[in-house]
Amino acid sequence: KQEVTQIPAALSVPEGENLVLNCSFTDSAIYNLQWFRQDPGKGLTSLLLIQSSQREQTSGRLNASLDKSSGRSTLYIAASQPGDSATYLCVTFQGAQKLVFGQGTRLTINP
Amino acid sequence: NAGVTQTPKFQVLKTGQSMTLQCAQDMNHEYMSWYRQDPGMGLRLIHYSVGAGITDQGEVPNGYNVSRSTTEDFPLRLLSAAPSQTSVYFCASRGLEGAKSEAFFGQGTRLTVV
């Protein structure tokens, strides 16, 4: 059974710092890994999808990597801004199987 | 391209009432699913569908029904609302292969049962 763990559960950093959020998973035969952000009281917004054959994806200040051999993914946020404050969720899934969620990292960027 | 659209955004029900939460997607995705999100519990899968005419139960299906008569729509029915069903409900959709497998979520329905 796939399990997804995100560490840390919460992170608070000053504005402008580069930071890394971590996600680990138990089954290395994953198909896809996707990062989302969720703002309080809002839905989940897709940030990046890494397909099983890929090693990383980039969008603006965000870069996500996938290392299936070690069962890890990282989300790198460059030059953090207060607007980046949100909960970040790591999700894995395979084919028609259900999404498996991590518990999330609650990120606060202090001005 | 509207993505995943959920209606209503807010709803208050009395115990015992029934209602339908609507979910529609315009991306021709095969896979659609419903989740509920409660404080400290994360997202829990209620029901899902891998195509029109095919539905299956998730982790917490009791008290809910679904149907998938078209690719686009996946309504969730509360048969007889209970206070324990007070939650935020999210609908999600995705394709099954390649880049189309990126999952998208609706903005949620905040349901209160009194």
Side-chain angles (χ1 to χ4, degrees):
Chain A
K1 177 186 174 185
Q2 177 77 283
E3 294 182 0
V4 179
T5 303
Q6 291 186 247
I7 294 174
L11 181 64
S12 181
V13 301
E15 180 178 4
E17 281 201 3
N18 303 324
L19 57 98
V20 174
L21 306 182
N22 295 296
C23 170
S24 62
F25 45 89
T26 53
D27 184 357
S28 62
I30 65 166
Y31 185 64
N32 287 341
L33 189 140
Q34 191 169 352
W35 284 91
F36 292 88
R37 67 174 281 169
Q38 186 175 27
D39 296 279
K42 303 293 186 182
L44 279 70
T45 300
S46 177
L47 297 174
L48 290 164
L49 166 71
I50 310 176
Q51 298 176 60
S52 181
S53 60
Q54 299 173 330
R55 296 187 67 92
E56 68 175 347
Q57 285 288 330
T58 298
S59 176
R61 294 182 294 108
L62 305 179
N63 176 274
S65 67
L66 175 62
D67 184 346
K68 293 200 298 177
S69 62
S70 65
R72 296 180 65 179
S73 176
T74 61
L75 179 66
Y76 175 82
I77 302 176
S80 59
Q81 303 170 357
D84 294 330
S85 297
T87 295
Y88 289 79
L89 292 162
C90 167
V91 180
T92 71
F93 52 96
Q94 185 167 4
Q97 296 178 8
K98 68 174 186 176
L99 307 183
V100 181
F101 293 86
Q103 288 301 306
T105 293
R106 189 171 67 252
L107 176 66
T108 303
I109 307 298
N110 301 303
Chain B
N1 190 343
V4 180
T5 303
Q6 283 185 241
T7 56
K9 288 187 170 56
F10 302 93
Q11 183 71 48
V12 178
L13 288 179
K14 294 183 178 179
T15 297
Q17 286 185 317
S18 62
M19 79 160 295
T20 299
L21 280 62
Q22 301 291 343
C23 176
Q25 53 92 8
D26 61 357
M27 297 171 281
N28 201 30
H29 284 166
E30 298 94 336
Y31 191 102
M32 296 185 73
S33 51
W34 277 101
Y35 295 85
R36 59 178 290 173
Q37 187 175 38
D38 302 291
M41 300 290 290
L43 283 138
R44 292 183 290 170
L45 181 65
I46 304 172
H47 285 287
Y48 66 97
S49 168
V50 296
I54 305 169
T55 64
D56 207 345
Q57 298 181 348
E59 305 166 63
V60 289
N62 292 340
Y64 307 94
N65 270 357
V66 292
S67 60
R68 185 96 179 268
S69 57
T70 67
T71 299
E72 295 78 18
D73 299 299
F74 191 47
L76 177 72
R77 298 183 187 84
L78 278 70
L79 308 173
S80 177
S84 61
Q85 293 179 305
T86 293
S87 187
V88 181
Y89 292 84
F90 291 102
C91 178
S93 79
R94 63 181 174 90
L96 292 180
E97 294 182 358
K100 288 197 69 177
S101 59
E102 183 176 5
F104 292 92
F105 282 75
Q107 285 303 298
T109 296
R110 187 173 297 274
L111 176 67
T112 302
V113 182
V114 298

